Amino acid sequence: MRIRSLGVIDDAVVELSPGFTAVTGETGAGKTMVVTSLGLLLGGRADPALVRIGAKSAVVEGRIAVGPAAPAAVRAEEAGAELDDGTLLISRTVSAEGRSRAHVGGRSVPVGLLGELADDLVAVHGQTDQQGLLRPARQRQALDRYAGDAVSVPLAEYTTAYRRLRAVAAELDELTTRARERAQEADLLRFGLEEIAAADPQPDEDTELAAEAERLGHAEALASAAAAAHAALAGNPEDLEAVDATTLVAGAHRALDAVRSHDPALSALTERLGEIGILMADVAGELASYADGLDADPLRLAAVEERRATLTHLTRKYGEDVAAVLAWAEEGAARLAELDGDDDRIGELTAERDELRAELGRLAQALTDAREASAKRFADAVTAELAELAMPHARVSVRITQTETGEDDGIEVGGRTVAFGPTGADEVELLLAPHPGTPPRPIAKGASGGELSRVMLAVEVVFAGSDPVPTYLFDEVDAGVGGKAAVEVGRRLARLARSAQVVVVTHLPQVAAFADRQLLVEKTHDGSVTRSGVTVLEGEERVRELSRMLAGQEDSETARAHAEELLETARAGR
């Protein structure tokens, strides 16, 4: 792994080779250079405060060797990235305004993809993780991940059933707690549907009735107008001297018809006059029929207006017109059928809830059995690690318990009704007996500061062994450890590095001495900008740095002798 950091407090290139790399230097310098930059590459939060004052942006670039079939490589290629001779190129840019951009394999990608790749590339273990492991929930997560498929498979089934139970319980609660409101809604719907059914409105009936009411209301005026128009067209039998349009048009047609053969143009006009005469005769006949058929019936008008009032009452309550009223009735009938089926639905949901509770009880028991089986192996592995860390008599155990509760609030596991949650019914707690004869106690209460650091490191090493990632970063997890215990910590990390790349940020010379390579981070200040440079220490330079870490004096002969002895011990004890 190669990290290049530009503008993130420091400008430097850090080469992290396979094996065990120790990063040392002044307090905070190594952590800022390696942990912060690596955190950004792995999708961590982009803090604009990381950008050096005066710089427009901060850039972190990483070159990570991965196999073509590695999960990270496959996921990167799915996102459009390309590998460069088995190397995955990752970069992250953070602007001074806080904007962030990410690139993988030459392609711009969402920052969230970096977090996905991180799960398959690097496992970070630090002091924050130590404090997190003091919480029972974190201890359960560690145990579950250590157990692997033995827990993850039933846990996935349990999670699915648990979510369904939550959904069923929520719907059942709504149906039962809102029963009164739903009953009132059903009554209102039933009343409305009965009212509409009694009126029995027909499609477009309101439009047709409006037209009929308009005609009946003006029947006399319509009849008078039709008679006058008929008289103008066909004449009035009672007025023999009146001249009507039909007679005039007929006379004009006769006059032209006598000479039409002499001019085709006049013949065409004659034809048109003939058509007009026929059309006028037809219209006159229809006007006569219309006038005879028009009936100014007051009773029919009253019936029409009464029907219109009935429809207006419906449209005022259920829609703007009859079409909207009929649509409301269709939707209301469907909703009423749903509400009337509440009792049946409540019965179905109750039965499903009981079945899900029984299934969750079975799955919770399977989880408990799997966790108990894994807990023994996990505790034995951590205990073995503590023996390697100068705590040969310490014993770690895992306590798995459940909390009994009322029948309505729990599930049945092992013949008892216990509380349950999204991860089962188990409460997991790590216990430590640091010395023979002492009772096991929760690790937060049963260990001193130095012992707690070693316990946490042992847990992290065991936990890291269950993570299928090629690189592990330990950020000062050896805090609070010193002397012989520190030597054992260094030796254990060196052994872990035989099968994985291990990077340790440390201030302990006993740990740094076991590293295959040691990087020194030094701060410099030119009066305006503080910079950190990274140097690979070899030979005499490494002895000087270990002397400084041991005694604070690079040139002390005693410290130098101690540093050389420490290096020899580390080489012989790997």
Side-chain angles (χ1 to χ4, degrees):
M1 180 182 297
R2 181 177 186 269
I3 301 175
R4 185 184 183 211
S5 175
L6 300 174
V8 187
I9 301 178
D10 316 299
D11 290 354
V13 175
V14 181
E15 295 280 356
L16 303 178
S17 301
F20 181 4
T21 299
V23 182
T24 64
E26 297 179 9
T27 302
K31 180 176 182 179
T32 299
M33 174 60 65
V34 178
V35 179
T36 304
S37 299
L38 189 57
L40 286 173
L41 279 184
L42 302 180
R45 187 176 67 88
D47 186 355
L50 295 174
V51 182
R52 186 192 299 121
I53 296 176
K56 294 182 178 180
S57 63
V59 180
V60 181
E61 299 173 347
R63 298 174 59 89
I64 304 176
V66 294
V74 173
R75 181 66 185 92
E77 289 179 346
E78 290 175 352
E82 296 182 0
L83 268 65
D84 182 12
D85 293 332
T87 300
L88 185 62
L89 305 179
I90 301 177
S91 70
R92 180 85 178 275
T93 302
V94 181
S95 70
E97 293 79 21
R99 294 187 299 273
S100 175
R101 291 182 292 120
H103 291 80
V104 175
R107 288 295 184 92
S108 178
V109 298
V111 174
L113 178 64
L114 301 184
E116 295 180 31
L117 298 178
D119 292 338
D120 297 315
L121 291 175
V122 181
V124 180
H125 304 282
Q127 292 179 344
T128 301
D129 297 310
Q130 288 189 16
Q131 297 303 315
L133 278 172
L134 295 178
R135 299 193 300 269
R138 181 66 176 82
Q139 294 172 17
R140 180 197 51 74
Q141 292 173 7
L143 177 60
D144 287 355
R145 290 188 65 181
Y146 178 82
D149 291 344
V151 167
S152 64
V153 172
L155 181 58
E157 295 182 39
Y158 178 93
T159 301
T160 300
Y162 179 81
R163 290 173 179 169
R164 178 57 188 162
L165 177 61
R166 292 286 300 273
V168 168
E171 184 177 354
L172 188 58
D173 181 65
E174 180 185 4
L175 290 175
T176 54
T177 58
R178 295 186 56 198
R180 178 178 299 175
E181 291 86 346
R182 296 170 74 89
Q184 291 174 349
E185 182 185 358
D187 286 344
L188 290 174
L189 287 172
R190 193 174 291 108
F191 175 82
L193 291 172
E194 290 174 354
E195 189 174 24
I196 294 173
D200 191 24
Q202 301 300 312
D204 299 324
E205 183 182 3
D206 51 347
T207 303
E208 295 172 358
L209 288 174
E212 185 177 1
E214 185 72 12
R215 185 172 64 253
L216 290 172
H218 299 83
E220 293 182 0
L222 292 172
S224 176
H230 178 269
L233 290 175
N236 186 352
E238 299 179 357
D239 187 1
L240 300 178
E241 296 181 358
V243 180
D244 59 87
T246 302
T247 301
L248 294 174
V249 170
H253 182 266
R254 286 193 300 270
L256 293 177
D257 189 56
V259 296
R260 63 185 297 179
S261 60
H262 303 301
D263 188 350
L266 190 62
S267 178
L269 292 175
T270 304
E271 292 291 339
R272 291 171 65 185
L273 273 175
E275 294 173 358
I276 291 173
I278 294 171
L279 180 62
M280 290 177 65
D282 290 342
V283 171
E286 291 182 12
L287 284 172
S289 298
Y290 175 82
D292 292 341
L294 193 63
D295 184 13
D297 185 354
L299 295 179
R300 174 58 185 168
L301 179 59
V304 168
E305 293 297 346
E306 183 180 357
R307 179 62 176 171
R308 292 185 69 196
T310 299
L311 296 180
T312 300
H313 176 73
L314 295 180
T315 56
R316 187 180 299 116
K317 296 172 65 175
Y318 306 111
E320 59 183 12
D321 53 26
V322 168
V325 171
L326 293 174
W328 184 93
E330 183 178 356
E331 295 174 0
R335 175 61 175 165
L336 182 60
E338 178 184 340
L339 293 173
D340 286 343
D342 276 357
D343 291 341
D344 294 337
R345 182 59 177 160
I346 289 175
E348 293 173 359
L349 290 173
T350 301
E352 185 177 3
R353 181 197 61 187
D354 295 341
E355 291 176 1
L356 287 169
R357 283 179 177 271
E359 182 181 1
L360 284 175
R362 178 183 62 80
L363 292 172
Q365 183 64 64
L367 282 173
T368 299
D369 294 342
R371 283 169 177 154
E372 288 177 346
S374 299
K376 179 66 168 59
R377 292 185 288 107
F378 183 70
D380 290 346
V382 175
T383 299
E385 291 295 335
L386 288 177
E388 297 284 346
L389 297 174
M391 293 180 66
H393 303 296
R395 294 291 180 269
V396 170
S397 57
V398 180
R399 181 166 60 194
I400 299 177
T401 58
Q402 296 87 29
T403 300
E404 293 193 29
T405 187
E407 184 176 346
D408 294 337
D409 301 324
I411 57 177
E412 186 174 339
V413 178
R416 298 181 302 144
T417 301
V418 299
F420 66 104
T423 58
D426 300 323
E427 299 172 10
V428 177
E429 193 169 28
L430 289 179
L431 307 177
L432 172 68
H435 310 291
T438 57
R441 301 181 63 193
I443 55 175
K445 303 176 181 178
S448 64
E451 289 172 338
L452 181 60
S453 293
R454 278 179 280 176
V455 170
M456 290 305 176
L457 180 58
V459 171
E460 293 292 0
V461 171
V462 170
F463 191 37
S466 65
D467 281 339
V469 294
T471 300
Y472 302 101
L473 172 62
F474 292 92
D475 178 20
E476 298 186 18
V477 294
D478 50 13
V481 177
K484 182 179 179 181
V487 173
E488 297 303 327
V489 169
R491 181 177 286 113
R492 188 64 193 90
L493 291 171
R495 292 180 184 175
L496 180 62
R498 295 173 185 172
S499 57
Q501 182 182 30
V502 176
V503 181
V504 179
V505 178
T506 182
H507 298 293
L508 291 180
Q510 296 93 331
V511 173
F514 278 87
D516 298 309
R517 191 172 66 155
Q518 184 172 345
L519 304 181
L520 173 64
V521 180
E522 290 183 299
K523 289 185 177 181
T524 60
H525 185 68
D526 61 5
S528 59
V529 177
T530 299
R531 301 177 183 273
S532 293
V534 180
T535 305
V536 179
L537 300 179
E538 296 179 350
E540 181 63 24
E541 292 180 341
R542 188 173 185 185
V543 173
R544 285 175 56 84
E545 171 62 9
L546 290 175
S547 299
R548 183 197 65 77
M549 296 174 70
L550 283 165
Q553 301 176 0
E554 297 90 336
D555 299 324
S556 168
E557 291 297 329
T558 302
R560 287 176 58 81
H562 191 182
E564 291 173 350
E565 181 183 0
L566 194 58
L567 282 172
E568 284 296 325
T569 301
R571 293 191 186 100
R574 287 177 184 166

mmCIF file of all heavy atoms in Angstrom, residues 395-435:
data_model
loop_
_atom_site.group_PDB
_atom_site.id
_atom_site.type_symbol
_atom_site.label_atom_id
_atom_site.label_comp_id
_atom_site.label_asym_id
_atom_site.label_seq_id
_atom_site.Cartn_x
_atom_site.Cartn_y
_atom_site.Cartn_z
ATOM 1 N N ARG A 395 -7.891 -15.274 32.568
ATOM 2 C CA ARG A 395 -8.883 -16.091 31.902
ATOM 3 C C ARG A 395 -10.042 -15.200 31.440
ATOM 4 O O ARG A 395 -10.564 -14.409 32.218
ATOM 5 C CB ARG A 395 -9.424 -17.192 32.828
ATOM 6 C CG ARG A 395 -8.403 -18.234 33.210
ATOM 7 C CD ARG A 395 -8.019 -19.096 32.013
ATOM 8 N NE ARG A 395 -7.026 -20.115 32.359
ATOM 9 C CZ ARG A 395 -5.715 -19.930 32.274
ATOM 10 N NH1 ARG A 395 -5.228 -18.749 31.871
ATOM 11 N NH2 ARG A 395 -4.897 -20.909 32.585
ATOM 12 N N VAL A 396 -10.406 -15.351 30.191
ATOM 13 C CA VAL A 396 -11.535 -14.600 29.626
ATOM 14 C C VAL A 396 -12.684 -15.568 29.381
ATOM 15 O O VAL A 396 -12.469 -16.696 28.923
ATOM 16 C CB VAL A 396 -11.138 -13.900 28.312
ATOM 17 C CG1 VAL A 396 -12.370 -13.333 27.603
ATOM 18 C CG2 VAL A 396 -10.139 -12.786 28.586
ATOM 19 N N SER A 397 -13.874 -15.144 29.702
ATOM 20 C CA SER A 397 -15.069 -15.947 29.433
ATOM 21 C C SER A 397 -16.149 -15.031 28.861
ATOM 22 O O SER A 397 -16.048 -13.807 28.929
ATOM 23 C CB SER A 397 -15.569 -16.634 30.710
ATOM 24 O OG SER A 397 -15.838 -15.672 31.719
ATOM 25 N N VAL A 398 -17.141 -15.638 28.283
ATOM 26 C CA VAL A 398 -18.247 -14.892 27.684
ATOM 27 C C VAL A 398 -19.537 -15.317 28.374
ATOM 28 O O VAL A 398 -19.857 -16.505 28.433
ATOM 29 C CB VAL A 398 -18.348 -15.148 26.165
ATOM 30 C CG1 VAL A 398 -19.513 -14.364 25.579
ATOM 31 C CG2 VAL A 398 -17.049 -14.773 25.469
ATOM 32 N N ARG A 399 -20.244 -14.348 28.903
ATOM 33 C CA ARG A 399 -21.506 -14.639 29.566
ATOM 34 C C ARG A 399 -22.652 -14.246 28.635
ATOM 35 O O ARG A 399 -22.729 -13.107 28.168
ATOM 36 C CB ARG A 399 -21.616 -13.871 30.874
ATOM 37 C CG ARG A 399 -22.926 -14.138 31.642
ATOM 38 C CD ARG A 399 -22.847 -13.632 33.059
ATOM 39 N NE ARG A 399 -22.607 -12.196 33.114
ATOM 40 C CZ ARG A 399 -22.236 -11.553 34.222
ATOM 41 N NH1 ARG A 399 -22.026 -12.232 35.345
ATOM 42 N NH2 ARG A 399 -22.037 -10.244 34.211
ATOM 43 N N ILE A 400 -23.536 -15.201 28.375
ATOM 44 C CA ILE A 400 -24.699 -14.964 27.517
ATOM 45 C C ILE A 400 -25.953 -15.169 28.354
ATOM 46 O O ILE A 400 -26.173 -16.250 28.915
ATOM 47 C CB ILE A 400 -24.705 -15.929 26.309
ATOM 48 C CG1 ILE A 400 -23.443 -15.714 25.461
ATOM 49 C CG2 ILE A 400 -25.953 -15.722 25.458
ATOM 50 C CD1 ILE A 400 -23.329 -16.671 24.295
ATOM 51 N N THR A 401 -26.748 -14.138 28.461
ATOM 52 C CA THR A 401 -27.943 -14.185 29.307
ATOM 53 C C THR A 401 -29.150 -13.639 28.540
ATOM 54 O O THR A 401 -28.997 -13.013 27.492
ATOM 55 C CB THR A 401 -27.754 -13.368 30.591
ATOM 56 O OG1 THR A 401 -27.453 -12.000 30.238
ATOM 57 C CG2 THR A 401 -26.625 -13.935 31.430
ATOM 58 N N GLN A 402 -30.332 -13.897 29.089
ATOM 59 C CA GLN A 402 -31.570 -13.319 28.573
ATOM 60 C C GLN A 402 -32.329 -12.705 29.745
ATOM 61 O O GLN A 402 -32.146 -13.095 30.894
ATOM 62 C CB GLN A 402 -32.450 -14.370 27.877
ATOM 63 C CG GLN A 402 -31.845 -14.996 26.638
ATOM 64 C CD GLN A 402 -30.984 -16.198 26.963
ATOM 65 O OE1 GLN A 402 -31.225 -16.896 27.950
ATOM 66 N NE2 GLN A 402 -29.964 -16.444 26.153
ATOM 67 N N THR A 403 -33.184 -11.759 29.446
ATOM 68 C CA THR A 403 -33.980 -11.084 30.468
ATOM 69 C C THR A 403 -35.430 -11.529 30.361
ATOM 70 O O THR A 403 -36.046 -11.395 29.302
ATOM 71 C CB THR A 403 -33.915 -9.558 30.301
ATOM 72 O OG1 THR A 403 -32.543 -9.133 30.415
ATOM 73 C CG2 THR A 403 -34.740 -8.854 31.366
ATOM 74 N N GLU A 404 -35.960 -12.091 31.450
ATOM 75 C CA GLU A 404 -37.349 -12.539 31.436
ATOM 76 C C GLU A 404 -38.284 -11.334 31.443
ATOM 77 O O GLU A 404 -37.982 -10.288 32.022
ATOM 78 C CB GLU A 404 -37.631 -13.439 32.640
ATOM 79 C CG GLU A 404 -36.879 -14.765 32.596
ATOM 80 C CD GLU A 404 -37.400 -15.760 33.620
ATOM 81 O OE1 GLU A 404 -38.602 -15.671 33.949
ATOM 82 O OE2 GLU A 404 -36.623 -16.604 34.074
ATOM 83 N N THR A 405 -39.411 -11.492 30.786
ATOM 84 C CA THR A 405 -40.373 -10.395 30.680
ATOM 85 C C THR A 405 -41.773 -10.966 30.612
ATOM 86 O O THR A 405 -41.971 -12.193 30.667
ATOM 87 C CB THR A 405 -40.078 -9.543 29.429
ATOM 88 O OG1 THR A 405 -40.922 -8.395 29.427
ATOM 89 C CG2 THR A 405 -40.300 -10.337 28.156
ATOM 90 N N GLY A 406 -42.757 -10.083 30.473
ATOM 91 C CA GLY A 406 -44.148 -10.521 30.405
ATOM 92 C C GLY A 406 -44.459 -11.225 29.093
ATOM 93 O O GLY A 406 -43.768 -11.075 28.089
ATOM 94 N N GLU A 407 -45.548 -11.991 29.104
ATOM 95 C CA GLU A 407 -45.905 -12.799 27.941
ATOM 96 C C GLU A 407 -46.198 -11.942 26.724
ATOM 97 O O GLU A 407 -45.899 -12.314 25.598
ATOM 98 C CB GLU A 407 -47.114 -13.664 28.287
ATOM 99 C CG GLU A 407 -47.518 -14.617 27.166
ATOM 100 C CD GLU A 407 -48.648 -15.531 27.578
ATOM 101 O OE1 GLU A 407 -48.930 -15.613 28.788
ATOM 102 O OE2 GLU A 407 -49.241 -16.146 26.682
ATOM 103 N N ASP A 408 -46.789 -10.751 26.940
ATOM 104 C CA ASP A 408 -47.170 -9.898 25.818
ATOM 105 C C ASP A 408 -45.963 -9.203 25.194
ATOM 106 O O ASP A 408 -46.060 -8.706 24.062
ATOM 107 C CB ASP A 408 -48.181 -8.839 26.279
ATOM 108 C CG ASP A 408 -49.504 -9.464 26.692
ATOM 109 O OD1 ASP A 408 -49.789 -10.584 26.228
ATOM 110 O OD2 ASP A 408 -50.234 -8.837 27.483
ATOM 111 N N ASP A 409 -44.858 -9.131 25.922
ATOM 112 C CA ASP A 409 -43.701 -8.375 25.452
ATOM 113 C C ASP A 409 -42.544 -9.236 24.987
ATOM 114 O O ASP A 409 -41.545 -8.703 24.496
ATOM 115 C CB ASP A 409 -43.186 -7.449 26.575
ATOM 116 C CG ASP A 409 -44.249 -6.474 27.037
ATOM 117 O OD1 ASP A 409 -45.024 -6.015 26.187
ATOM 118 O OD2 ASP A 409 -44.310 -6.194 28.252
ATOM 119 N N GLY A 410 -42.610 -10.538 25.164
ATOM 120 C CA GLY A 410 -41.454 -11.374 24.873
ATOM 121 C C GLY A 410 -41.778 -12.544 23.972
ATOM 122 O O GLY A 410 -42.882 -12.689 23.444
ATOM 123 N N ILE A 411 -40.771 -13.381 23.788
ATOM 124 C CA ILE A 411 -40.901 -14.614 23.029
ATOM 125 C C ILE A 411 -40.414 -15.762 23.903
ATOM 126 O O ILE A 411 -39.643 -15.556 24.849
ATOM 127 C CB ILE A 411 -40.087 -14.558 21.718
ATOM 128 C CG1 ILE A 411 -38.609 -14.271 22.013
ATOM 129 C CG2 ILE A 411 -40.653 -13.535 20.761
ATOM 130 C CD1 ILE A 411 -37.726 -14.272 20.779
ATOM 131 N N GLU A 412 -40.843 -16.946 23.572
ATOM 132 C CA GLU A 412 -40.479 -18.105 24.388
ATOM 133 C C GLU A 412 -39.176 -18.713 23.881
ATOM 134 O O GLU A 412 -39.084 -19.136 22.724
ATOM 135 C CB GLU A 412 -41.591 -19.150 24.364
ATOM 136 C CG GLU A 412 -41.320 -20.316 25.304
ATOM 137 C CD GLU A 412 -42.478 -21.278 25.404
ATOM 138 O OE1 GLU A 412 -43.625 -20.858 25.085
ATOM 139 O OE2 GLU A 412 -42.254 -22.438 25.790
ATOM 140 N N VAL A 413 -38.168 -18.729 24.751
ATOM 141 C CA VAL A 413 -36.870 -19.315 24.430
ATOM 142 C C VAL A 413 -36.469 -20.205 25.596
ATOM 143 O O VAL A 413 -36.365 -19.744 26.739
ATOM 144 C CB VAL A 413 -35.790 -18.224 24.206
ATOM 145 C CG1 VAL A 413 -34.437 -18.873 23.913
ATOM 146 C CG2 VAL A 413 -36.195 -17.296 23.077
ATOM 147 N N GLY A 414 -36.254 -21.469 25.327
ATOM 148 C CA GLY A 414 -35.849 -22.392 26.378
ATOM 149 C C GLY A 414 -36.862 -22.528 27.491
ATOM 150 O O GLY A 414 -36.481 -22.682 28.661
ATOM 151 N N GLY A 415 -38.146 -22.436 27.161
ATOM 152 C CA GLY A 415 -39.185 -22.594 28.174
ATOM 153 C C GLY A 415 -39.443 -21.347 28.992
ATOM 154 O O GLY A 415 -40.249 -21.390 29.930
ATOM 155 N N ARG A 416 -38.784 -20.231 28.676
ATOM 156 C CA ARG A 416 -39.001 -18.980 29.399
ATOM 157 C C ARG A 416 -39.430 -17.901 28.419
ATOM 158 O O ARG A 416 -39.047 -17.909 27.251
ATOM 159 C CB ARG A 416 -37.721 -18.532 30.115
ATOM 160 C CG ARG A 416 -37.222 -19.511 31.163
ATOM 161 C CD ARG A 416 -35.963 -18.953 31.810
ATOM 162 N NE ARG A 416 -34.922 -18.696 30.819
ATOM 163 C CZ ARG A 416 -34.067 -17.679 30.875
ATOM 164 N NH1 ARG A 416 -34.125 -16.811 31.876
ATOM 165 N NH2 ARG A 416 -33.133 -17.537 29.956
ATOM 166 N N THR A 417 -40.194 -16.929 28.895
ATOM 167 C CA THR A 417 -40.575 -15.781 28.083
ATOM 168 C C THR A 417 -39.557 -14.668 28.336
ATOM 169 O O THR A 417 -39.433 -14.177 29.472
ATOM 170 C CB THR A 417 -41.987 -15.285 28.434
ATOM 171 O OG1 THR A 417 -42.912 -16.351 28.231
ATOM 172 C CG2 THR A 417 -42.364 -14.112 27.552
ATOM 173 N N VAL A 418 -38.811 -14.306 27.290
ATOM 174 C CA VAL A 418 -37.708 -13.358 27.457
ATOM 175 C C VAL A 418 -37.871 -12.192 26.497
ATOM 176 O O VAL A 418 -38.567 -12.278 25.479
ATOM 177 C CB VAL A 418 -36.349 -14.056 27.201
ATOM 178 C CG1 VAL A 418 -36.130 -15.186 28.194
ATOM 179 C CG2 VAL A 418 -36.270 -14.583 25.775
ATOM 180 N N ALA A 419 -37.212 -11.089 26.849
ATOM 181 C CA ALA A 419 -37.210 -9.910 25.984
ATOM 182 C C ALA A 419 -36.398 -10.204 24.727
ATOM 183 O O ALA A 419 -35.468 -11.019 24.749
ATOM 184 C CB ALA A 419 -36.624 -8.716 26.737
ATOM 185 N N PHE A 420 -36.758 -9.547 23.649
ATOM 186 C CA PHE A 420 -36.049 -9.778 22.400
ATOM 187 C C PHE A 420 -35.910 -8.466 21.634
ATOM 188 O O PHE A 420 -36.601 -7.478 21.922
ATOM 189 C CB PHE A 420 -36.774 -10.815 21.543
ATOM 190 C CG PHE A 420 -38.121 -10.362 21.041
ATOM 191 C CD1 PHE A 420 -38.289 -9.977 19.718
ATOM 192 C CD2 PHE A 420 -39.223 -10.312 21.879
ATOM 193 C CE1 PHE A 420 -39.528 -9.550 19.250
ATOM 194 C CE2 PHE A 420 -40.464 -9.888 21.423
ATOM 195 C CZ PHE A 420 -40.618 -9.502 20.105
ATOM 196 N N GLY A 421 -35.000 -8.455 20.673
ATOM 197 C CA GLY A 421 -34.751 -7.264 19.878
ATOM 198 C C GLY A 421 -34.358 -7.655 18.469
ATOM 199 O O GLY A 421 -34.509 -8.809 18.064
ATOM 200 N N PRO A 422 -33.810 -6.733 17.697
ATOM 201 C CA PRO A 422 -33.480 -7.023 16.293
ATOM 202 C C PRO A 422 -32.355 -8.021 16.110
ATOM 203 O O PRO A 422 -32.151 -8.520 15.004
ATOM 204 C CB PRO A 422 -33.104 -5.650 15.730
ATOM 205 C CG PRO A 422 -32.740 -4.822 16.917
ATOM 206 C CD PRO A 422 -33.586 -5.321 18.033
ATOM 207 N N THR A 423 -31.589 -8.327 17.163
ATOM 208 C CA THR A 423 -30.481 -9.278 17.023
ATOM 209 C C THR A 423 -30.692 -10.539 17.852
ATOM 210 O O THR A 423 -29.765 -11.324 18.032
ATOM 211 C CB THR A 423 -29.156 -8.614 17.449
ATOM 212 O OG1 THR A 423 -29.262 -8.164 18.805
ATOM 213 C CG2 THR A 423 -28.811 -7.441 16.540
ATOM 214 N N GLY A 424 -31.878 -10.731 18.358
ATOM 215 C CA GLY A 424 -32.156 -11.917 19.146
ATOM 216 C C GLY A 424 -32.531 -11.578 20.572
ATOM 217 O O GLY A 424 -32.909 -10.443 20.885
ATOM 218 N N ALA A 425 -32.400 -12.574 21.442
ATOM 219 C CA ALA A 425 -32.777 -12.394 22.849
ATOM 220 C C ALA A 425 -31.565 -12.386 23.772
ATOM 221 O O ALA A 425 -31.721 -12.311 24.993
ATOM 222 C CB ALA A 425 -33.733 -13.509 23.273
ATOM 223 N N ASP A 426 -30.344 -12.450 23.200
ATOM 224 C CA ASP A 426 -29.142 -12.626 24.016
ATOM 225 C C ASP A 426 -28.494 -11.301 24.409
ATOM 226 O O ASP A 426 -28.442 -10.354 23.622
ATOM 227 C CB ASP A 426 -28.112 -13.464 23.253
ATOM 228 C CG ASP A 426 -28.638 -14.839 22.907
ATOM 229 O OD1 ASP A 426 -29.375 -15.401 23.737
ATOM 230 O OD2 ASP A 426 -28.323 -15.342 21.815
ATOM 231 N N GLU A 427 -27.998 -11.277 25.625
ATOM 232 C CA GLU A 427 -27.141 -10.200 26.111
ATOM 233 C C GLU A 427 -25.749 -10.795 26.316
ATOM 234 O O GLU A 427 -25.581 -11.752 27.071
ATOM 235 C CB GLU A 427 -27.674 -9.620 27.418
ATOM 236 C CG GLU A 427 -29.070 -9.009 27.279
ATOM 237 C CD GLU A 427 -29.668 -8.615 28.612
ATOM 238 O OE1 GLU A 427 -28.914 -8.642 29.620
ATOM 239 O OE2 GLU A 427 -30.862 -8.307 28.663
ATOM 240 N N VAL A 428 -24.765 -10.251 25.606
ATOM 241 C CA VAL A 428 -23.411 -10.817 25.595
ATOM 242 C C VAL A 428 -22.478 -9.889 26.362
ATOM 243 O O VAL A 428 -22.496 -8.674 26.165
ATOM 244 C CB VAL A 428 -22.908 -11.010 24.153
ATOM 245 C CG1 VAL A 428 -21.478 -11.537 24.152
ATOM 246 C CG2 VAL A 428 -23.828 -11.956 23.399
ATOM 247 N N GLU A 429 -21.658 -10.487 27.234
ATOM 248 C CA GLU A 429 -20.723 -9.688 28.023
ATOM 249 C C GLU A 429 -19.419 -10.461 28.210
ATOM 250 O O GLU A 429 -19.428 -11.645 28.550
ATOM 251 C CB GLU A 429 -21.334 -9.349 29.383
ATOM 252 C CG GLU A 429 -20.562 -8.282 30.135
ATOM 253 C CD GLU A 429 -21.337 -7.774 31.335
ATOM 254 O OE1 GLU A 429 -22.158 -8.535 31.889
ATOM 255 O OE2 GLU A 429 -21.129 -6.614 31.726
ATOM 256 N N LEU A 430 -18.292 -9.769 27.929
ATOM 257 C CA LEU A 430 -16.977 -10.360 28.146
ATOM 258 C C LEU A 430 -16.596 -10.218 29.606
ATOM 259 O O LEU A 430 -16.710 -9.130 30.190
ATOM 260 C CB LEU A 430 -15.928 -9.669 27.273
ATOM 261 C CG LEU A 430 -15.989 -9.930 25.767
ATOM 262 C CD1 LEU A 430 -14.887 -9.148 25.061
ATOM 263 C CD2 LEU A 430 -15.848 -11.407 25.468
ATOM 264 N N LEU A 431 -16.108 -11.306 30.197
ATOM 265 C CA LEU A 431 -15.677 -11.312 31.595
ATOM 266 C C LEU A 431 -14.191 -11.632 31.670
ATOM 267 O O LEU A 431 -13.663 -12.390 30.846
ATOM 268 C CB LEU A 431 -16.468 -12.346 32.399
ATOM 269 C CG LEU A 431 -18.000 -12.261 32.330
ATOM 270 C CD1 LEU A 431 -18.620 -13.408 33.128
ATOM 271 C CD2 LEU A 431 -18.488 -10.915 32.841
ATOM 272 N N LEU A 432 -13.523 -11.073 32.666
ATOM 273 C CA LEU A 432 -12.086 -11.296 32.848
ATOM 274 C C LEU A 432 -11.800 -11.678 34.294
ATOM 275 O O LEU A 432 -12.257 -11.026 35.228
ATOM 276 C CB LEU A 432 -11.295 -10.033 32.480
ATOM 277 C CG LEU A 432 -9.797 -10.070 32.802
ATOM 278 C CD1 LEU A 432 -9.084 -11.083 31.901
ATOM 279 C CD2 LEU A 432 -9.178 -8.686 32.657
ATOM 280 N N ALA A 433 -11.022 -12.741 34.440
ATOM 281 C CA ALA A 433 -10.444 -13.097 35.739
ATOM 282 C C ALA A 433 -8.938 -12.925 35.585
ATOM 283 O O ALA A 433 -8.245 -13.809 35.059
ATOM 284 C CB ALA A 433 -10.793 -14.536 36.101
ATOM 285 N N PRO A 434 -8.363 -11.785 36.002
ATOM 286 C CA PRO A 434 -6.959 -11.497 35.698
ATOM 287 C C PRO A 434 -5.970 -12.385 36.461
ATOM 288 O O PRO A 434 -4.850 -12.595 35.998
ATOM 289 C CB PRO A 434 -6.805 -10.027 36.098
ATOM 290 C CG PRO A 434 -7.896 -9.776 37.080
ATOM 291 C CD PRO A 434 -9.019 -10.667 36.692
ATOM 292 N N HIS A 435 -6.393 -12.932 37.594
ATOM 293 C CA HIS A 435 -5.478 -13.722 38.416
ATOM 294 C C HIS A 435 -6.206 -14.966 38.930
ATOM 295 O O HIS A 435 -7.438 -14.964 39.071
ATOM 296 C CB HIS A 435 -4.963 -12.903 39.609
ATOM 297 C CG HIS A 435 -4.424 -11.560 39.218
ATOM 298 N ND1 HIS A 435 -3.260 -11.408 38.505
ATOM 299 C CD2 HIS A 435 -4.924 -10.301 39.437
ATOM 300 C CE1 HIS A 435 -3.052 -10.114 38.302
ATOM 301 N NE2 HIS A 435 -4.054 -9.427 38.857
#
